[in-house]
Amino acid sequence: MRTGFPGTGEAPPRGPLDGTPAPRGPLGYGDRVQLTGPKGRINTITLVPEGEFHSHRGMIRHGELAGLPDGSVVTNSSGEEYLALRPLLSDFVMSMPRGAAIVYPKDAAQILSLADIFPGARVVEAGVGSGALSLHLLRGIGPEGRLYSFERREEFADIARGNVAAFTGRAPENWTVTVGDLQRALPATCPEGGIDRVVLDMLAPWECVGVAAEALAPGGVIICYVATATQLSRTAEEIRRSGSFTHPQSSETMVRGWHVEGLAVRPDHRMVAHTGFLVTARRLAPGAILPGLKRRASKSDFTDDDLASWLPDLGGREPSEVWTAEVVGDRGKSDRVLRKKVREAQRFARERADGGAHPDSIG
């Protein structure tokens, strides 16, 4: 059990979600801790009684970390120093078990901003993947909001539940995960016009534009996260065709770090470049007709036949034959690997909930 601040009798503050790790205070059993070694390599462990962290250069007992302030430096058995820090949310999602590709922190930050996720918001998310975006959305809506997550695959839902519980300490009461197809499950779960934001992270989000429009309140935001330019085009055109939204806006986010040491100041050689596109639009009031954009006649004007040459399912081909995970370059994991990730995520969740009372979960 975590103690209060020294000499004050005051309990350390809780995180923005009930049950999340405290943002400051001494490290305790059950906490996830980042250990950064001499060469900058980061290892993330869960502190457990009698646990030990081993590397090829020495060992650190978990008991030596328990009770230390966040940001302490400890020495292993061979004299090497390690920096011990609680992982930030962005650190956690990059190191947690994953079944599906995660939404990178740079994209999650843009989603929260572009979709205007606010405390108390009622948000629909599909699909849930490994839970990375779910964690960011839960933090954004706060305990007064409500997150409805939908996922087609049970394995991904289990991994997401485990990862969220590992970070928050338990499954948040304002979060539900429904396994099933969004087109059928959303109308049965959420009242028509009762949702503030819809976030679609799936292979074919255009298939769900109609049910998203029915669920959204007037002025609500739909935001879609897609990997390829063809998906981007198909999604934007479906939003336009629906007649239920404002003109869609599209963007991508690239982050380039910089090397800054003395007079050696230059961009890093590597960067997190393209990960996905974001398409956003706002729900029109029922019966409202969006005014047309005034622009000059252009050779870029297009017809449905032109779109069909670029987007085959608009030319009459069966969508399930055109849009597959393999076609858009999504490399899935085998069932065996997914089962392993489910067990790993659930183990981390148990360690967090039980305060690290599992000595067999070491390092």
Side-chain angles (χ1 to χ4, degrees):
M1 183 174 180
R2 199 185 305 275
T3 58
F5 294 126
T8 66
E10 179 186 353
R14 305 302 296 174
L17 301 176
D18 181 32
T20 60
R24 61 177 180 265
L27 302 175
Y29 291 120
D31 283 350
R32 297 284 282 170
V33 177
Q34 274 186 171
L35 293 175
T36 305
K39 294 184 178 181
R41 181 176 179 181
I42 297 175
N43 292 275
T44 305
I45 64 173
T46 301
L47 297 186
V48 297
E50 302 180 7
E52 296 176 348
F53 165 72
H54 288 268
S55 72
H56 68 286
R57 299 292 298 273
M59 176 267 290
I60 298 174
R61 291 185 173 86
H62 291 198
E64 298 173 13
L65 295 166
L68 290 180
D70 205 352
S72 295
V73 175
V74 294
T75 303
N76 72 0
S77 57
S78 63
E80 289 189 333
E81 292 184 332
Y82 282 76
L83 173 64
L85 284 166
R86 281 192 181 87
L88 302 176
L89 176 55
S90 58
D91 298 322
F92 179 85
V93 300
M94 294 301 293
S95 64
M96 69 187 190
R98 58 181 77 171
I102 66 167
V103 174
Y104 271 66
K106 69 182 181 71
D107 295 315
Q110 283 292 89
I111 289 171
L112 264 63
S113 176
L114 294 176
D116 190 31
I117 304 297
F118 59 90
R122 297 157 297 180
V123 179
V124 165
E125 172 202 20
V128 70
S130 298
L133 183 57
S134 304
L135 281 165
H136 284 91
L137 292 172
L138 285 165
R139 174 167 285 183
I141 65 176
E144 296 82 16
R146 185 82 193 177
L147 177 61
Y148 303 91
S149 297
F150 297 83
E151 174 56 53
R152 286 182 174 179
R153 299 193 60 173
E154 184 73 49
E155 301 94 331
F156 289 170
D158 288 340
I159 292 171
R161 291 187 188 104
N163 284 330
V164 170
F167 186 77
T168 65
R170 57 185 174 83
E173 295 180 358
N174 61 337
W175 181 49
T176 58
V177 181
T178 302
V179 178
D181 184 84
L182 184 69
Q183 291 172 274
R184 291 189 292 270
L186 180 56
T189 305
C190 302
E192 184 174 332
I195 297 299
D196 299 305
R197 307 290 185 258
V198 173
V199 184
L200 302 180
D201 173 17
M202 55 175 60
L203 178 65
W206 52 88
E207 296 176 348
C208 299
V209 167
V211 293
E214 293 175 2
L216 278 168
V221 178
I222 183 173
I223 184 163
C224 306
Y225 180 69
V226 293
T228 68
T230 46
Q231 291 170 293
L232 168 66
S233 177
R234 185 68 176 87
T235 303
E237 292 307 324
E238 187 61 36
I239 290 174
R240 287 193 182 97
R241 286 163 172 260
S242 73
S244 300
F245 294 94
T246 60
H247 296 292
Q249 303 294 316
S250 305
S251 66
E252 68 172 325
T253 304
M254 292 179 282
V255 175
R256 183 174 71 174
W258 280 67
H259 172 92
V260 182
E261 287 187 12
L263 299 182
V265 180
R266 54 168 175 74
D268 283 340
H269 296 305
R270 295 186 296 176
M271 65 179 291
V272 181
H274 174 75
T275 48
F277 299 102
L278 293 174
V279 189
T280 61
R282 298 191 67 181
R283 179 70 164 99
L284 297 174
I289 299 176
L290 184 67
L293 292 176
K294 293 183 179 181
R295 57 186 179 90
R296 294 178 181 177
S298 169
K299 293 181 180 180
S300 64
D301 289 344
F302 55 86
T303 66
D304 286 351
D305 289 339
D306 296 325
L307 284 175
S309 65
W310 166 250
L311 304 169
D313 63 316
L314 291 180
R317 292 183 59 186
E318 186 65 30
S320 60
E321 298 175 359
V322 177
W323 300 100
T324 65
E326 292 77 12
V327 165
V328 299
D330 185 10
R331 293 174 293 180
K333 290 183 169 63
S334 68
D335 290 343
R336 179 173 175 271
V337 171
L338 286 177
R339 289 194 295 270
K340 178 181 178 182
K341 295 299 181 182
V342 169
R343 292 194 298 271
E344 188 177 349
Q346 291 174 343
R347 175 168 62 86
F348 288 155
R350 288 195 302 270
E351 290 172 350
R352 178 71 184 89
D354 296 345
H358 292 272
D360 57 330
S361 305
I362 294 174

